[in-house]
Amino acid sequence: MFMQASNDIVLMYVIGIAMMLLLIAGVFIVFLINQRKKLQYQTSVQKLHEQQQNQLIEAAVKSEESERHRIAEQLHDEVGAILSSTKLHFSNINSTQLDTQGQSLHEKSKELLDESIQKIRSISHNLHSTLLKEFGLNEAIKHFLKKTVTGTLVSVETDLDPGITERNQLTDLGIYRIVQELVNNVLKHANATRLSVTTKMTDKIFTLELVHNGKGLSQEEFEKLRYNPSGLGLKNIQNRIILLKGNIQFHRSDDENKVTLSIPAIEES
Amino acid sequence: MNDIITSIRNWAEVWPLLIPISILLFYGRPAGYMRPLVYYVAIAFPVCLAITVMFNFYHQMPPGFKNNNVFYNVHSFIRVVFFSLFMIGLMKDRFVPVIRFMLLFYCLLVAANFILLQSPLLFSSRLFTTESILLIILSVLYFVRTTQDESATNWMHHPSLYVVAGIIFFEGVNFFTFLFYDPLSTERPLFGKATWTVHHITFVILCTLLAIAFRKSVNRVTHVHAGQQ
């Protein structure tokens, strides 16, 4: 009788522990399933949020692009046409009848008029991406660099991968605008004398390296400045990078500064 | 070899506590809500040391220092108090009054038990069983709370999960050890001794999980500071 009772206690003990372990395992399984579901929901919400943000950025970039086109066309077709007509009329003035000072002023005015027409053409081409659409990214970058550094003390070297031909036009436009922004920043702020732009395509990743010997930004400075409301350029770069699902890295050292842009290839749709 | 195993077993209420203590010493202070557990470890260590020294050197002990039951009761009491405080610090919501009430009720029960029913010099199976019930309820409350939580906190990787996993496992397994302690120790002493080995194993697991929680919590604190700089 005594033995039977103690055996019952042992049995109850063993069954009790087994039940308790099962119960604990059950609680943990329910907890894990619940937490996983919650995590999935949060990830999907975050994805949706990112998607919305990207759509907003895309809309802003597209509207900026269409505004650039509108301004470029108006400059080229309206201001450019007026200036060309002015030049035509101006050429018809018989300068031989003028005195020496008048002739000198006439010549100077003609020069300034020519320069204005050139400037308007240049600005219009910069804003418009005709060259990019017709000749591709490499030619557009080369042309832009040549045009931009003319008249400055900066010497430019380019080493552009000739294999980059068939690309998505929107991606090319984004890269082109980033290069424009970066080069303009170097010319404005860096006091550089050497600038080189290299592109290459490896494993469906487009990489662009911009190296200069002036004053450059570090990654930390870029991270800080891109949230600065007064600095529009870096914010534009960041928006375009987000849109292209790419990555930008700033590296500063004593003798040179490097900006590396990596963009995954997007098939032409 | 047998001597080593016996020594490990005989000191199994002391050395597991050195795991979380060494983590605290090497990696520094964990997050604020872990503080009650730091206090628990700091107080439990001398208490468990006293229990084990009295047990292992029973014959060398002076007559008044041969009974370690009072220290077992103290250990059980501080475990409930500090784990409850940990839960209060962690939850900070509508469950807090419930936990406070349970803690207060437990303290009253303990006082009533030792004043009216039992001498504190006896091993109180009743006290340990109540501890188990209370801490299992608290662990279940934790799971209910995290299930209802809609914040971005990832509870699957939260240090507190290791603590609660340790408590629920320790208390769940030992509930029956504590409940049947008196009949087993009198009717089946050998089996009773074996169940106490189970208790020691679960205590090692509890201490290891506490150490992991401390370590993870220190990581999180460092991460937040790095982000703020």
mmCIF file of all heavy atoms in Angstrom, chain B residues 6-47:
data_model
loop_
_atom_site.group_PDB
_atom_site.id
_atom_site.type_symbol
_atom_site.label_atom_id
_atom_site.label_comp_id
_atom_site.label_asym_id
_atom_site.label_seq_id
_atom_site.Cartn_x
_atom_site.Cartn_y
_atom_site.Cartn_z
ATOM 1 N N THR B 6 30.960 14.852 -8.451
ATOM 2 C CA THR B 6 30.302 15.108 -7.155
ATOM 3 C C THR B 6 30.509 16.560 -6.719
ATOM 4 O O THR B 6 29.567 17.213 -6.244
ATOM 5 C CB THR B 6 30.859 14.150 -6.072
ATOM 6 O OG1 THR B 6 30.834 12.827 -6.597
ATOM 7 C CG2 THR B 6 30.042 14.199 -4.800
ATOM 8 N N SER B 7 31.751 17.046 -6.911
ATOM 9 C CA SER B 7 32.025 18.447 -6.532
ATOM 10 C C SER B 7 31.181 19.404 -7.357
ATOM 11 O O SER B 7 30.614 20.367 -6.825
ATOM 12 C CB SER B 7 33.504 18.784 -6.759
ATOM 13 O OG SER B 7 34.280 18.046 -5.886
ATOM 14 N N ILE B 8 31.116 19.124 -8.687
ATOM 15 C CA ILE B 8 30.314 19.994 -9.567
ATOM 16 C C ILE B 8 28.860 19.999 -9.084
ATOM 17 O O ILE B 8 28.217 21.044 -8.996
ATOM 18 C CB ILE B 8 30.402 19.516 -11.041
ATOM 19 C CG1 ILE B 8 31.813 19.792 -11.591
ATOM 20 C CG2 ILE B 8 29.362 20.209 -11.917
ATOM 21 C CD1 ILE B 8 32.084 19.200 -12.959
ATOM 22 N N ARG B 9 28.372 18.800 -8.742
ATOM 23 C CA ARG B 9 26.983 18.679 -8.300
ATOM 24 C C ARG B 9 26.778 19.383 -6.947
ATOM 25 O O ARG B 9 25.796 20.099 -6.746
ATOM 26 C CB ARG B 9 26.617 17.192 -8.188
ATOM 27 C CG ARG B 9 25.131 16.961 -8.002
ATOM 28 C CD ARG B 9 24.823 15.559 -7.566
ATOM 29 N NE ARG B 9 23.419 15.454 -7.187
ATOM 30 C CZ ARG B 9 22.916 15.850 -6.025
ATOM 31 N NH1 ARG B 9 23.709 16.379 -5.115
ATOM 32 N NH2 ARG B 9 21.628 15.734 -5.763
ATOM 33 N N ASN B 10 27.736 19.164 -6.041
ATOM 34 C CA ASN B 10 27.595 19.740 -4.697
ATOM 35 C C ASN B 10 27.654 21.268 -4.695
ATOM 36 O O ASN B 10 27.100 21.906 -3.810
ATOM 37 C CB ASN B 10 28.687 19.195 -3.770
ATOM 38 C CG ASN B 10 28.408 17.749 -3.387
ATOM 39 O OD1 ASN B 10 27.314 17.247 -3.627
ATOM 40 N ND2 ASN B 10 29.404 17.074 -2.840
ATOM 41 N N TRP B 11 28.378 21.823 -5.678
ATOM 42 C CA TRP B 11 28.507 23.293 -5.732
ATOM 43 C C TRP B 11 27.610 23.889 -6.825
ATOM 44 O O TRP B 11 27.804 25.030 -7.225
ATOM 45 C CB TRP B 11 29.974 23.690 -5.963
ATOM 46 C CG TRP B 11 30.825 23.394 -4.764
ATOM 47 C CD1 TRP B 11 31.433 22.231 -4.465
ATOM 48 C CD2 TRP B 11 31.125 24.293 -3.687
ATOM 49 N NE1 TRP B 11 32.105 22.317 -3.263
ATOM 50 C CE2 TRP B 11 31.937 23.598 -2.764
ATOM 51 C CE3 TRP B 11 30.792 25.621 -3.390
ATOM 52 C CZ2 TRP B 11 32.415 24.160 -1.585
ATOM 53 C CZ3 TRP B 11 31.278 26.194 -2.219
ATOM 54 C CH2 TRP B 11 32.076 25.463 -1.328
ATOM 55 N N ALA B 12 26.641 23.073 -7.281
ATOM 56 C CA ALA B 12 25.823 23.491 -8.431
ATOM 57 C C ALA B 12 24.867 24.642 -8.134
ATOM 58 O O ALA B 12 24.148 25.084 -9.025
ATOM 59 C CB ALA B 12 25.048 22.301 -8.979
ATOM 60 N N GLU B 13 24.835 25.111 -6.897
ATOM 61 C CA GLU B 13 24.005 26.287 -6.628
ATOM 62 C C GLU B 13 24.860 27.542 -6.527
ATOM 63 O O GLU B 13 24.324 28.636 -6.345
ATOM 64 C CB GLU B 13 23.202 26.064 -5.345
ATOM 65 C CG GLU B 13 22.013 25.148 -5.594
ATOM 66 C CD GLU B 13 21.230 24.828 -4.348
ATOM 67 O OE1 GLU B 13 21.667 23.947 -3.579
ATOM 68 O OE2 GLU B 13 20.202 25.458 -4.145
ATOM 69 N N VAL B 14 26.163 27.377 -6.663
ATOM 70 C CA VAL B 14 27.063 28.527 -6.549
ATOM 71 C C VAL B 14 27.680 28.876 -7.901
ATOM 72 O O VAL B 14 27.550 30.004 -8.383
ATOM 73 C CB VAL B 14 28.175 28.260 -5.509
ATOM 74 C CG1 VAL B 14 29.118 29.449 -5.406
ATOM 75 C CG2 VAL B 14 27.568 27.972 -4.146
ATOM 76 N N TRP B 15 28.369 27.883 -8.521
ATOM 77 C CA TRP B 15 29.111 28.221 -9.743
ATOM 78 C C TRP B 15 28.235 28.695 -10.915
ATOM 79 O O TRP B 15 28.692 29.521 -11.694
ATOM 80 C CB TRP B 15 30.068 27.083 -10.165
ATOM 81 C CG TRP B 15 29.434 25.760 -10.500
ATOM 82 C CD1 TRP B 15 29.339 24.681 -9.707
ATOM 83 C CD2 TRP B 15 28.817 25.373 -11.737
ATOM 84 N NE1 TRP B 15 28.712 23.641 -10.344
ATOM 85 C CE2 TRP B 15 28.381 24.046 -11.602
ATOM 86 C CE3 TRP B 15 28.595 26.025 -12.952
ATOM 87 C CZ2 TRP B 15 27.719 23.365 -12.625
ATOM 88 C CZ3 TRP B 15 27.937 25.343 -13.973
ATOM 89 C CH2 TRP B 15 27.514 24.020 -13.794
ATOM 90 N N PRO B 16 26.967 28.232 -11.038
ATOM 91 C CA PRO B 16 26.187 28.786 -12.166
ATOM 92 C C PRO B 16 26.006 30.304 -12.062
ATOM 93 O O PRO B 16 25.965 30.997 -13.067
ATOM 94 C CB PRO B 16 24.840 28.069 -12.052
ATOM 95 C CG PRO B 16 25.135 26.821 -11.329
ATOM 96 C CD PRO B 16 26.209 27.179 -10.351
ATOM 97 N N LEU B 17 25.933 30.797 -10.816
ATOM 98 C CA LEU B 17 25.765 32.250 -10.633
ATOM 99 C C LEU B 17 27.002 33.028 -11.078
ATOM 100 O O LEU B 17 26.926 34.223 -11.370
ATOM 101 C CB LEU B 17 25.448 32.557 -9.165
ATOM 102 C CG LEU B 17 24.002 32.276 -8.749
ATOM 103 C CD1 LEU B 17 23.874 32.260 -7.243
ATOM 104 C CD2 LEU B 17 23.054 33.306 -9.351
ATOM 105 N N LEU B 18 28.145 32.328 -11.116
ATOM 106 C CA LEU B 18 29.372 33.007 -11.568
ATOM 107 C C LEU B 18 29.319 33.335 -13.063
ATOM 108 O O LEU B 18 30.031 34.214 -13.528
ATOM 109 C CB LEU B 18 30.603 32.138 -11.266
ATOM 110 C CG LEU B 18 30.955 32.001 -9.788
ATOM 111 C CD1 LEU B 18 32.066 30.985 -9.602
ATOM 112 C CD2 LEU B 18 31.377 33.352 -9.204
ATOM 113 N N ILE B 19 28.455 32.619 -13.806
ATOM 114 C CA ILE B 19 28.348 32.893 -15.265
ATOM 115 C C ILE B 19 27.798 34.316 -15.490
ATOM 116 O O ILE B 19 28.455 35.134 -16.123
ATOM 117 C CB ILE B 19 27.508 31.810 -15.989
ATOM 118 C CG1 ILE B 19 28.046 30.397 -15.679
ATOM 119 C CG2 ILE B 19 27.504 32.060 -17.491
ATOM 120 C CD1 ILE B 19 27.133 29.268 -16.153
ATOM 121 N N PRO B 20 26.582 34.627 -14.957
ATOM 122 C CA PRO B 20 26.112 36.017 -15.158
ATOM 123 C C PRO B 20 27.003 37.048 -14.468
ATOM 124 O O PRO B 20 27.183 38.146 -14.987
ATOM 125 C CB PRO B 20 24.706 36.018 -14.552
ATOM 126 C CG PRO B 20 24.601 34.804 -13.721
ATOM 127 C CD PRO B 20 25.559 33.804 -14.278
ATOM 128 N N ILE B 21 27.588 36.673 -13.302
ATOM 129 C CA ILE B 21 28.449 37.639 -12.592
ATOM 130 C C ILE B 21 29.671 37.973 -13.452
ATOM 131 O O ILE B 21 30.048 39.142 -13.587
ATOM 132 C CB ILE B 21 28.871 37.088 -11.201
ATOM 133 C CG1 ILE B 21 27.674 37.114 -10.251
ATOM 134 C CG2 ILE B 21 30.022 37.915 -10.607
ATOM 135 C CD1 ILE B 21 27.899 36.440 -8.903
ATOM 136 N N SER B 22 30.272 36.950 -14.077
ATOM 137 C CA SER B 22 31.462 37.231 -14.896
ATOM 138 C C SER B 22 31.089 38.067 -16.122
ATOM 139 O O SER B 22 31.857 38.932 -16.543
ATOM 140 C CB SER B 22 32.157 35.938 -15.312
ATOM 141 O OG SER B 22 31.240 35.098 -15.931
ATOM 142 N N ILE B 23 29.885 37.846 -16.667
ATOM 143 C CA ILE B 23 29.439 38.670 -17.813
ATOM 144 C C ILE B 23 29.315 40.128 -17.365
ATOM 145 O O ILE B 23 29.751 41.050 -18.056
ATOM 146 C CB ILE B 23 28.079 38.149 -18.364
ATOM 147 C CG1 ILE B 23 28.259 36.787 -19.026
ATOM 148 C CG2 ILE B 23 27.449 39.153 -19.345
ATOM 149 C CD1 ILE B 23 29.037 36.767 -20.321
ATOM 150 N N LEU B 24 28.754 40.307 -16.168
ATOM 151 C CA LEU B 24 28.608 41.679 -15.643
ATOM 152 C C LEU B 24 29.977 42.320 -15.419
ATOM 153 O O LEU B 24 30.166 43.497 -15.696
ATOM 154 C CB LEU B 24 27.826 41.661 -14.326
ATOM 155 C CG LEU B 24 26.327 41.362 -14.427
ATOM 156 C CD1 LEU B 24 25.719 41.192 -13.046
ATOM 157 C CD2 LEU B 24 25.611 42.470 -15.169
ATOM 158 N N LEU B 25 30.918 41.532 -14.920
ATOM 159 C CA LEU B 25 32.256 42.083 -14.644
ATOM 160 C C LEU B 25 33.012 42.396 -15.934
ATOM 161 O O LEU B 25 33.689 43.408 -16.032
ATOM 162 C CB LEU B 25 33.072 41.105 -13.784
ATOM 163 C CG LEU B 25 32.591 40.921 -12.344
ATOM 164 C CD1 LEU B 25 33.404 39.864 -11.634
ATOM 165 C CD2 LEU B 25 32.648 42.237 -11.576
ATOM 166 N N PHE B 26 32.864 41.531 -16.947
ATOM 167 C CA PHE B 26 33.620 41.726 -18.196
ATOM 168 C C PHE B 26 32.988 42.770 -19.113
ATOM 169 O O PHE B 26 33.697 43.530 -19.755
ATOM 170 C CB PHE B 26 33.765 40.402 -18.953
ATOM 171 C CG PHE B 26 34.861 39.531 -18.420
ATOM 172 C CD1 PHE B 26 34.578 38.289 -17.865
ATOM 173 C CD2 PHE B 26 36.190 39.950 -18.455
ATOM 174 C CE1 PHE B 26 35.583 37.479 -17.355
ATOM 175 C CE2 PHE B 26 37.197 39.150 -17.943
ATOM 176 C CZ PHE B 26 36.899 37.911 -17.401
ATOM 177 N N TYR B 27 31.657 42.747 -19.206
ATOM 178 C CA TYR B 27 31.010 43.590 -20.216
ATOM 179 C C TYR B 27 30.332 44.841 -19.657
ATOM 180 O O TYR B 27 29.774 45.619 -20.403
ATOM 181 C CB TYR B 27 30.008 42.760 -21.021
ATOM 182 C CG TYR B 27 30.693 41.703 -21.849
ATOM 183 C CD1 TYR B 27 30.720 40.380 -21.445
ATOM 184 C CD2 TYR B 27 31.335 42.041 -23.037
ATOM 185 C CE1 TYR B 27 31.365 39.416 -22.188
ATOM 186 C CE2 TYR B 27 31.977 41.085 -23.789
ATOM 187 C CZ TYR B 27 31.995 39.772 -23.361
ATOM 188 O OH TYR B 27 32.629 38.825 -24.108
ATOM 189 N N GLY B 28 30.335 45.009 -18.376
ATOM 190 C CA GLY B 28 29.793 46.244 -17.802
ATOM 191 C C GLY B 28 28.304 46.187 -17.554
ATOM 192 O O GLY B 28 27.685 45.132 -17.602
ATOM 193 N N ARG B 29 27.761 47.395 -17.318
ATOM 194 C CA ARG B 29 26.381 47.503 -16.852
ATOM 195 C C ARG B 29 25.372 47.200 -17.966
ATOM 196 O O ARG B 29 25.484 47.767 -19.046
ATOM 197 C CB ARG B 29 26.176 48.927 -16.349
ATOM 198 C CG ARG B 29 25.154 49.037 -15.265
ATOM 199 C CD ARG B 29 25.175 50.397 -14.648
ATOM 200 N NE ARG B 29 25.148 51.443 -15.693
ATOM 201 C CZ ARG B 29 24.978 52.727 -15.425
ATOM 202 N NH1 ARG B 29 24.867 53.128 -14.189
ATOM 203 N NH2 ARG B 29 24.962 53.624 -16.381
ATOM 204 N N PRO B 30 24.387 46.343 -17.690
ATOM 205 C CA PRO B 30 23.362 46.116 -18.726
ATOM 206 C C PRO B 30 22.298 47.223 -18.709
ATOM 207 O O PRO B 30 22.414 48.174 -17.928
ATOM 208 C CB PRO B 30 22.758 44.771 -18.316
ATOM 209 C CG PRO B 30 22.966 44.701 -16.852
ATOM 210 C CD PRO B 30 24.170 45.520 -16.514
ATOM 211 N N ALA B 31 21.277 47.072 -19.544
ATOM 212 C CA ALA B 31 20.217 48.101 -19.632
ATOM 213 C C ALA B 31 19.516 48.269 -18.283
ATOM 214 O O ALA B 31 19.527 47.355 -17.447
ATOM 215 C CB ALA B 31 19.218 47.685 -20.689
ATOM 216 N N GLY B 32 18.881 49.444 -18.101
ATOM 217 C CA GLY B 32 18.252 49.807 -16.824
ATOM 218 C C GLY B 32 17.242 48.794 -16.319
ATOM 219 O O GLY B 32 17.204 48.507 -15.113
ATOM 220 N N TYR B 33 16.418 48.244 -17.233
ATOM 221 C CA TYR B 33 15.366 47.321 -16.784
ATOM 222 C C TYR B 33 15.933 45.995 -16.254
ATOM 223 O O TYR B 33 15.218 45.194 -15.655
ATOM 224 C CB TYR B 33 14.341 47.058 -17.906
ATOM 225 C CG TYR B 33 14.926 46.421 -19.143
ATOM 226 C CD1 TYR B 33 15.045 45.040 -19.267
ATOM 227 C CD2 TYR B 33 15.362 47.204 -20.192
ATOM 228 C CE1 TYR B 33 15.589 44.464 -20.401
ATOM 229 C CE2 TYR B 33 15.915 46.641 -21.336
ATOM 230 C CZ TYR B 33 16.015 45.268 -21.425
ATOM 231 O OH TYR B 33 16.563 44.698 -22.547
ATOM 232 N N MET B 34 17.231 45.774 -16.477
ATOM 233 C CA MET B 34 17.875 44.537 -16.002
ATOM 234 C C MET B 34 18.399 44.678 -14.567
ATOM 235 O O MET B 34 18.900 43.718 -13.995
ATOM 236 C CB MET B 34 19.061 44.184 -16.907
ATOM 237 C CG MET B 34 18.679 43.661 -18.250
ATOM 238 S SD MET B 34 18.341 41.902 -18.113
ATOM 239 C CE MET B 34 17.908 41.525 -19.772
ATOM 240 N N ARG B 35 18.319 45.904 -14.049
ATOM 241 C CA ARG B 35 18.923 46.166 -12.727
ATOM 242 C C ARG B 35 18.425 45.211 -11.622
ATOM 243 O O ARG B 35 19.243 44.697 -10.869
ATOM 244 C CB ARG B 35 18.694 47.636 -12.331
ATOM 245 C CG ARG B 35 19.738 48.115 -11.337
ATOM 246 C CD ARG B 35 19.755 49.612 -11.215
ATOM 247 N NE ARG B 35 20.176 50.254 -12.443
ATOM 248 C CZ ARG B 35 19.901 51.506 -12.757
ATOM 249 N NH1 ARG B 35 19.180 52.242 -11.967
ATOM 250 N NH2 ARG B 35 20.342 52.026 -13.883
ATOM 251 N N PRO B 36 17.091 44.937 -11.527
ATOM 252 C CA PRO B 36 16.651 44.001 -10.470
ATOM 253 C C PRO B 36 17.341 42.638 -10.569
ATOM 254 O O PRO B 36 17.608 41.999 -9.551
ATOM 255 C CB PRO B 36 15.141 43.863 -10.730
ATOM 256 C CG PRO B 36 14.759 45.105 -11.446
ATOM 257 C CD PRO B 36 15.948 45.485 -12.274
ATOM 258 N N LEU B 37 17.645 42.216 -11.801
ATOM 259 C CA LEU B 37 18.297 40.912 -11.974
ATOM 260 C C LEU B 37 19.758 40.967 -11.547
ATOM 261 O O LEU B 37 20.303 39.973 -11.048
ATOM 262 C CB LEU B 37 18.188 40.444 -13.431
ATOM 263 C CG LEU B 37 16.759 40.306 -13.966
ATOM 264 C CD1 LEU B 37 16.766 39.839 -15.399
ATOM 265 C CD2 LEU B 37 15.980 39.319 -13.107
ATOM 266 N N VAL B 38 20.361 42.152 -11.741
ATOM 267 C CA VAL B 38 21.746 42.331 -11.270
ATOM 268 C C VAL B 38 21.761 42.220 -9.746
ATOM 269 O O VAL B 38 22.612 41.539 -9.167
ATOM 270 C CB VAL B 38 22.313 43.702 -11.730
ATOM 271 C CG1 VAL B 38 23.718 43.921 -11.178
ATOM 272 C CG2 VAL B 38 22.320 43.800 -13.250
ATOM 273 N N TYR B 39 20.769 42.868 -9.119
ATOM 274 C CA TYR B 39 20.678 42.800 -7.654
ATOM 275 C C TYR B 39 20.421 41.358 -7.217
ATOM 276 O O TYR B 39 20.975 40.890 -6.230
ATOM 277 C CB TYR B 39 19.549 43.708 -7.126
ATOM 278 C CG TYR B 39 19.813 45.179 -7.333
ATOM 279 C CD1 TYR B 39 18.780 46.058 -7.662
ATOM 280 C CD2 TYR B 39 21.094 45.708 -7.204
ATOM 281 C CE1 TYR B 39 19.016 47.415 -7.857
ATOM 282 C CE2 TYR B 39 21.337 47.065 -7.404
ATOM 283 C CZ TYR B 39 20.288 47.903 -7.735
ATOM 284 O OH TYR B 39 20.535 49.231 -7.933
ATOM 285 N N TYR B 40 19.554 40.661 -7.987
ATOM 286 C CA TYR B 40 19.238 39.263 -7.646
ATOM 287 C C TYR B 40 20.518 38.421 -7.635
ATOM 288 O O TYR B 40 20.790 37.697 -6.664
ATOM 289 C CB TYR B 40 18.220 38.677 -8.645
ATOM 290 C CG TYR B 40 18.182 37.164 -8.596
ATOM 291 C CD1 TYR B 40 17.633 36.505 -7.497
ATOM 292 C CD2 TYR B 40 18.745 36.391 -9.617
ATOM 293 C CE1 TYR B 40 17.644 35.119 -7.422
ATOM 294 C CE2 TYR B 40 18.758 35.002 -9.548
ATOM 295 C CZ TYR B 40 18.209 34.371 -8.446
ATOM 296 O OH TYR B 40 18.231 33.005 -8.360
ATOM 297 N N VAL B 41 21.291 38.562 -8.715
ATOM 298 C CA VAL B 41 22.520 37.767 -8.844
ATOM 299 C C VAL B 41 23.483 38.113 -7.710
ATOM 300 O O VAL B 41 24.094 37.224 -7.089
ATOM 301 C CB VAL B 41 23.161 38.023 -10.237
ATOM 302 C CG1 VAL B 41 24.543 37.431 -10.311
ATOM 303 C CG2 VAL B 41 22.297 37.428 -11.335
ATOM 304 N N ALA B 42 23.574 39.423 -7.414
ATOM 305 C CA ALA B 42 24.511 39.880 -6.384
ATOM 306 C C ALA B 42 24.112 39.361 -4.989
ATOM 307 O O ALA B 42 24.983 39.038 -4.173
ATOM 308 C CB ALA B 42 24.570 41.403 -6.376
ATOM 309 N N ILE B 43 22.801 39.298 -4.744
ATOM 310 C CA ILE B 43 22.359 38.829 -3.416
ATOM 311 C C ILE B 43 22.318 37.299 -3.374
ATOM 312 O O ILE B 43 22.678 36.675 -2.355
ATOM 313 C CB ILE B 43 20.981 39.433 -3.035
ATOM 314 C CG1 ILE B 43 21.102 40.961 -2.964
ATOM 315 C CG2 ILE B 43 20.470 38.893 -1.707
ATOM 316 C CD1 ILE B 43 19.783 41.692 -2.834
ATOM 317 N N ALA B 44 21.891 36.691 -4.488
ATOM 318 C CA ALA B 44 21.758 35.222 -4.521
ATOM 319 C C ALA B 44 23.104 34.533 -4.335
ATOM 320 O O ALA B 44 23.161 33.450 -3.747
ATOM 321 C CB ALA B 44 21.112 34.788 -5.835
ATOM 322 N N PHE B 45 24.167 35.164 -4.854
ATOM 323 C CA PHE B 45 25.481 34.505 -4.783
ATOM 324 C C PHE B 45 25.922 34.238 -3.335
ATOM 325 O O PHE B 45 26.199 33.078 -2.987
ATOM 326 C CB PHE B 45 26.535 35.312 -5.550
ATOM 327 C CG PHE B 45 27.869 34.641 -5.583
ATOM 328 C CD1 PHE B 45 28.086 33.503 -6.342
ATOM 329 C CD2 PHE B 45 28.932 35.134 -4.820
ATOM 330 C CE1 PHE B 45 29.311 32.857 -6.351
ATOM 331 C CE2 PHE B 45 30.161 34.502 -4.824
ATOM 332 C CZ PHE B 45 30.353 33.358 -5.594
ATOM 333 N N PRO B 46 25.960 35.248 -2.442
ATOM 334 C CA PRO B 46 26.350 34.934 -1.049
ATOM 335 C C PRO B 46 25.366 34.003 -0.348
ATOM 336 O O PRO B 46 25.767 33.161 0.468
ATOM 337 C CB PRO B 46 26.414 36.309 -0.359
ATOM 338 C CG PRO B 46 25.727 37.252 -1.252
ATOM 339 C CD PRO B 46 25.802 36.701 -2.627
ATOM 340 N N VAL B 47 24.069 34.141 -0.700
ATOM 341 C CA VAL B 47 23.066 33.270 -0.070
ATOM 342 C C VAL B 47 23.326 31.813 -0.465
ATOM 343 O O VAL B 47 23.360 30.913 0.390
ATOM 344 C CB VAL B 47 21.627 33.712 -0.477
ATOM 345 C CG1 VAL B 47 20.595 32.700 -0.006
ATOM 346 C CG2 VAL B 47 21.305 35.082 0.095
#
